[in-house]
Structures are given as C-alpha cells and as structure tokens.
Amino acid sequence: MKEVQNTLKSIVENPRHIFKLTVQGVLVGIFSGLMVCLYRFLLNGSEDILRGYLKIINGNIFYIALFFIFLIILGLLTAYLMRWEKDAMGSGIPQVNAETKGFMDVNWYKTLFAKIVGGVFTALGGLSLGPEGPSVQIGAMAGKGVSKLFKESKTDELRLILVGSAVGITAAFNAPLAGVVFILEEINHGFDKTLVFIALVSAIVSDFISKIIFGQSTVLSFPISNIPLSSYWLLIVLGLVLGLLGYAYNVGMIKAEDLWAKIPKLSLEVKFVSVFLVSGVIALIIPEISCGGHYMMGMLDVAVPSLGLLLLYFALKYIFSIFSFSSGAPGGIFLPILVLGAYIGAIFASFFIPICGLENVLIYKFIIISMAGFFTATVRSPITGIVLLSEMSGSTESLVAMLIVCLIAYVVPTLLGNEPIYEALLDRLLKRRQEEFTPEPSRHVLSEYIVPLECKYIGVEIENIPFPKNSIVVSVIRNGSYVIAQSDFKINYGDQIHILTDVNDFPYANREIEEIINGR
C-alpha cells in the first residue's frame, strides 16, 4: 500500500509528470488540430462541389440521373465503411463519452479514418449533418493516438482523449475556451486541474493552427446592438420558446431513432442508400437546407429572409436534420442545432421587433442569443453555449442577455423531464454495446472527483461511505495540500478525491461513485 501511495503522490504532484503531460498536450494540439482542420477543409470542399454540381444540373435529365447514381454509390460506400468501423457512426460525442467512462475501447486509427471519409461522403450527399460532433471524436482519437505512442497509463490516456475532444471544438469553431469548457461540462462532468491546464495548452496550439489555415476572423460577423432594458421581458419569452422547442427537438430525435429501429430487416445498405436518395431530392427541390447549415447561416448574414421563408426553412431544416442524424450516418447535430437556434431567433425578432418598435439591427442580437439558448435547451450545457457564442461572435456584450435566456431554456425541458440529447444518445449507445463489452488486461485508473455542497457524506469518515468495493480512496487534495486518505478521514466540501479502480470495473464503479459524491 505504501508503494502505491508513493506512486500516486508522484502522479498527482510530480512536476516532471505534469511537464511530460504538457509536452504531450502540445503534441495532441498539433496532431488533433491538423486532423480536425483537414476534416473541416474536406467538408467545405465537398459542400462546394455539391452546390457547384447542383447549379450545372439545370433540369438536365442525364445529369440528374448521374447525380442519383452517385448518391446510391455514396450510400453503399458509407454503409460499407460503417460496417468496417461501427464506432464511427453518428455524432461521435456519445462514443467519446462512453470511452472516458470506460465502456468502450475504440480503435483510434480506424475510427479516425472512417469518421473523416464518412463525413466527406455525407457532405457530398447533402445530408443535414454538422462537422462539430465528429470533430470532437476525431480530436479525441488523435489524442488517444498520442497516448498510445507514449504508452501512457490508462489514467493519462483518458486525459489525452479529453484534451483531444477540446481540440475538436476549438479547431471547428476557433473557440479554445469553449472547447475546454465543453469537456468539463458535457463529457468529464468534473474539475481536474491537471486536465484543464493541459487542455488549455492544447487548445491554444490547435487554435493557432486553425487560424493559420482558415484565418483569424470570427465565425459570426453580425453587427451587435444592445436590447433596451425596458424590452428585457422579451428575453423571458424567448427563453420559454427555446426551452419548448429544444424539448420538441430532443423528443423528435429519439422518436425518429425508434422509428428506424422498428423497420423490419432493414440493412445498413438499404438505410443509407434511402437517406442519400432523399437528401438528393431535397438538394434538387430546396438546396438551401442541404448540408450542415453554413449556407443557411450565410443567408442571414446577407439579408434576413421574410418571416414566411424563415418559418419554412426552419420547419424543413428541423425535419431534415432529425431524419439525417437518426439514420446513424456519420455526422453531428452541433451545427444544425446552432442553425435552428439562429432561425428561431430570426423568426422571434421578425415578429416582435415591429410590435415593440425596436431597431431592425437587433435581429442579429436575437439570433446570437437564440443560438446559445437552443444549444442549452437541447444539450443542457449553458456555460459552453454562452462561451461558444461569445467566441464565435467575438463579443461579450450579449453575456447578460444570453444568461437570462439560457437559464430559462435550461429549466423548461428539465422540468418537463427531458434528458439532454447527448446523455440520451449515450444511454442508447451503452444499451447496444453492453453485450459486446470485452475485458481488458488488468490496469488501474485513477479518477478525480470534486465534493459538491449537496453531497450528503460531508463530514463522514471514508470507511462509512458506501464506495464500490472494487474502488480505493487513495488520496485527497484539500486547500492545495496533498493528504493520504486513511479510513477515518472525513471528507469536506471542495475536496478533490482520488479513487483507484481497475480498468474493467471502472465503467460501473465510476457511475456509482458519481451518484454517491453528487448526492443522488
């Protein structure tokens, strides 16, 4: 036991170990950043190719026939690719979440390849899927690759996977702070100081690479004006609307997945060919809603369409986004969620601005606020949404307004008993994968948990806390000081507790420990 304690102390406090992780964080920033930027570049090119071809079709029957033959081939290739590496299906964020919780051990290089190529196929096919979820998985798998190169412990491997996930958001949006906040709020659900430090280093490196390739301009270039204080009641109404629509989006997504599952004997090939063909029809009839949503965002930047068109585009994008993602095709919902949020804001502003006699330029303020609010309503990560939109717009002037809207948008679906979309998708993924769990060679995972105020075991001795039998509390950091945890040690609010678990027990032990620590 003494030997284990000394080892753990060196891991937690040893400056050399922190320095080594920092160097690895820089390498993750470079490798993950390059992979995500490559993915982003290929998707942009694929969308340009699709839209360029749609322009030259111009009613030509021969060209249209070629287009649909091409879509059938894309559907078959995507199905083959997903059979070859099924962990590349869907968004990728639930898979990363499952891996960091110990439920999966993904082949990093196969997933990296399949995710990038599969994303190119879906972009060429015009499916309403975003690049950001896949970017998180691409970054995470690149981070795992770096850890394998250095033959790191399972604990540090999980850290580098999380660091790579932060790079995915950073390189996709040019938003390093949002990337770090995202992994803390949405994936890790805890505060690990070492993880935060390394993730910040990695995010800065990847952001530098991204800006060299794509430039330094912010993703959104909307003019920002302040909403008069006398009109702040509109934010309450907007928050309620976003909360209800976020609830509807999440329910619709899960119901659509259930509908796909109910189709008897539906092969992956038939499913993906059908999805690609439907996408082709949509691209011919209403190309504005094709692909992830960059084109729809660009429409708002040039000149906001009429209220009728805004409603039409929103409704069709909502349906097409759910249809595309629920099929399991490789791609995410991050961008479609933000685009739908933008259109909700535009619709809301187009209706209320004339009624309230406000300046027309305020429509862009409502668009930005609604993007953060709808993201919060669906994903249930308000801090990420606020930081992300602040970085995307290059302005912090909307912070208070976004806070009001996001808090309301968070509360409404929560009160309605709706699960956050990525948690619901994770639960479904774990149910599908439960039977396929393969034990790994015995290794230890060192996890860190922060004791919150609501923990009912504050002031209780460790020996009297019902931690899983296969887990050992080995150390605690209190007020910056390292303490070896004896059986009679009493935990306090704010303690950073380090718990050692075998890698094969970690998935289930981690869930139990989180329930104990968080007072559920």
Side-chain angles (χ1 to χ4, degrees):
M1 183 64 183
K2 196 169 184 180
E3 202 173 301
V4 173
Q5 289 171 349
N6 289 335
T7 303
L8 292 168
K9 187 169 182 178
S10 70
I11 291 174
V12 174
E13 292 190 327
N14 191 347
R16 290 184 180 179
H17 184 73
I18 303 299
F19 177 75
K20 183 183 74 168
L21 285 176
T22 304
V23 172
Q24 291 174 3
V26 172
L27 294 177
V28 171
I30 294 171
F31 185 34
S32 297
L34 288 173
M35 288 297 98
V36 175
C37 286
L38 171 65
Y39 182 65
R40 184 176 165 185
F41 175 79
L42 291 174
L43 289 195
N44 290 343
S46 299
E47 188 170 336
D48 289 342
I49 290 171
L50 173 64
R51 294 198 178 278
Y53 189 76
L54 290 174
K55 286 179 181 178
I56 66 170
I57 286 180
N58 201 22
N60 187 303
I61 299 297
F62 177 70
Y63 285 163
I64 292 174
L66 282 179
F67 179 54
F68 281 101
I69 292 171
F70 178 63
L71 290 173
I72 291 171
I73 294 171
L74 281 179
L76 292 172
L77 287 174
T78 304
Y80 173 78
L81 195 63
M82 295 304 104
R83 285 194 184 280
W84 178 69
E85 183 48 66
K86 61 184 175 183
D87 292 325
M89 292 182 69
S91 161
I93 292 176
Q95 287 87 338
V96 173
N97 216 329
E99 175 136 16
T100 57
K101 290 181 177 359
F103 288 100
M104 294 174 65
D105 187 15
V106 175
N107 184 311
W108 71 270
Y109 53 87
K110 283 180 66 178
T111 303
L112 198 62
F113 176 81
K115 201 72 177 187
I116 292 174
V117 176
V120 170
F121 289 164
T122 58
L124 285 170
L127 275 67
S128 181
L129 297 169
E132 289 76 20
S135 294
V136 170
Q137 190 177 23
I138 289 168
M141 292 303 97
K144 186 173 183 177
V146 171
S147 75
K148 294 295 186 185
L149 177 67
F150 286 90
K151 298 179 180 178
E152 282 299 342
S153 67
K154 189 66 178 179
T155 302
D156 287 338
E157 179 183 298
L158 295 177
R159 276 177 172 157
L160 292 182
I161 288 172
L162 287 166
V163 167
S165 302
V167 169
I169 297 293
T170 298
F173 288 112
N174 288 352
L177 282 178
V180 176
V181 172
F182 179 77
I183 63 168
L184 296 176
E185 190 176 26
E186 180 58 30
I187 301 179
N188 193 50
H189 298 295
F191 190 87
D192 179 340
K193 288 192 292 186
T194 303
L195 171 64
V196 172
F197 176 74
I198 301 165
L200 283 171
V201 170
S202 192
I204 291 168
V205 172
S206 62
D207 186 55
F208 184 74
I209 292 171
S210 176
K211 284 176 177 171
I212 288 176
I213 297 173
F214 297 105
Q216 297 189 55
S217 59
T218 56
V219 176
L220 301 176
S221 55
F222 296 150
I224 305 294
S225 298
N226 289 321
I227 299 172
L229 292 176
S230 59
S231 300
Y232 260 47
W233 62 272
L234 287 172
L235 300 177
I236 298 173
V237 178
L238 179 58
L240 292 170
V241 170
L242 290 166
L244 291 171
L245 291 175
Y247 170 84
Y249 184 84
N250 287 2
V251 170
M253 189 66 74
I254 299 304
K255 294 290 185 186
E257 278 202 352
D258 291 339
L259 285 175
W260 279 113
K262 287 178 182 178
I263 301 176
K265 298 179 181 178
L266 180 65
S267 69
L268 209 57
E269 288 78 10
V270 172
K271 179 197 279 190
F272 283 164
V273 167
S274 302
V275 171
F276 274 83
L277 289 176
V278 170
S279 179
V281 173
I282 289 171
L284 289 174
I285 298 174
I286 183 163
E288 291 87 351
I289 69 167
S290 287
C291 302
H294 291 295
Y295 189 84
M296 284 182 67
M297 286 301 299
M299 290 170 62
L300 296 178
D301 199 13
V302 175
V304 178
S306 65
L307 181 58
L309 280 176
L310 287 172
L311 287 166
L312 177 66
Y313 290 146
F314 171 76
L316 293 176
K317 187 67 174 177
Y318 170 87
I319 296 168
F320 188 34
S321 172
I322 288 177
F323 172 76
S324 298
F325 185 79
S326 62
S327 71
I333 53 173
F334 218 103
L335 179 59
I337 284 173
L338 293 177
V339 172
L340 289 171
Y343 272 69
I344 294 169
I347 292 167
F348 184 87
S350 296
F351 183 79
F352 278 101
I353 281 177
I355 293 175
C356 299
L358 300 174
E359 297 178 12
N360 286 331
V361 74
L362 282 174
I363 192 169
Y364 294 107
K365 182 87 166 186
F366 283 107
I367 287 172
I368 290 172
I369 294 169
S370 294
M371 290 171 75
F374 194 63
F375 177 84
T376 298
T378 53
V379 180
R380 231 62 53 82
S381 298
I383 302 174
T384 300
I386 292 168
V387 174
L388 176 63
L389 266 297
S390 296
E391 290 188 287
M392 286 176 67
S393 63
S395 171
T396 57
E397 292 181 16
S398 304
L399 277 177
V400 174
M402 280 195 287
L403 276 168
I404 295 170
V405 170
C406 286
L407 288 174
I408 297 170
Y410 180 96
V411 168
V412 171
T414 303
L415 290 177
L416 292 173
N418 179 243
E419 263 193 303
I421 187 63
Y422 287 126
E423 287 187 20
L425 294 172
L426 173 63
D427 289 342
R428 286 168 165 259
L429 175 67
L430 294 182
K431 285 177 183 176
R432 291 195 298 268
R433 294 297 299 266
Q434 199 166 14
E435 297 176 1
E436 304 169 17
F437 181 74
T438 305
E440 293 186 48
S442 184
R443 289 191 291 164
H444 289 114
V445 179
L446 183 68
S447 303
E448 182 178 287
Y449 304 88
I450 308 294
V451 179
L453 275 172
E454 62 268 23
C455 179
K456 63 182 179 181
Y457 293 103
I458 289 175
V460 176
E461 296 87 354
I462 286 175
E463 63 182 350
N464 294 323
I465 300 175
F467 287 120
K469 292 180 181 179
N470 47 11
S471 302
I472 303 171
V473 179
V474 291
S475 60
V476 177
I477 294 179
R478 177 178 292 174
N479 300 324
S481 298
Y482 176 88
V483 181
I484 297 294
Q486 304 295 336
S487 59
D488 59 350
F489 183 86
K490 296 180 180 180
I491 67 170
N492 283 341
Y493 162 65
D495 283 350
Q496 296 169 242
I497 302 176
H498 300 107
I499 299 181
L500 195 67
T501 312
D502 185 87
V503 66
N504 294 305
D505 298 323
F506 175 66
Y508 311 101
N510 177 63
R511 181 169 286 181
E512 284 186 49
I513 295 166
E514 284 185 345
E515 290 175 356
I516 291 167
I517 294 292
N518 294 317
R520 295 175 192 164

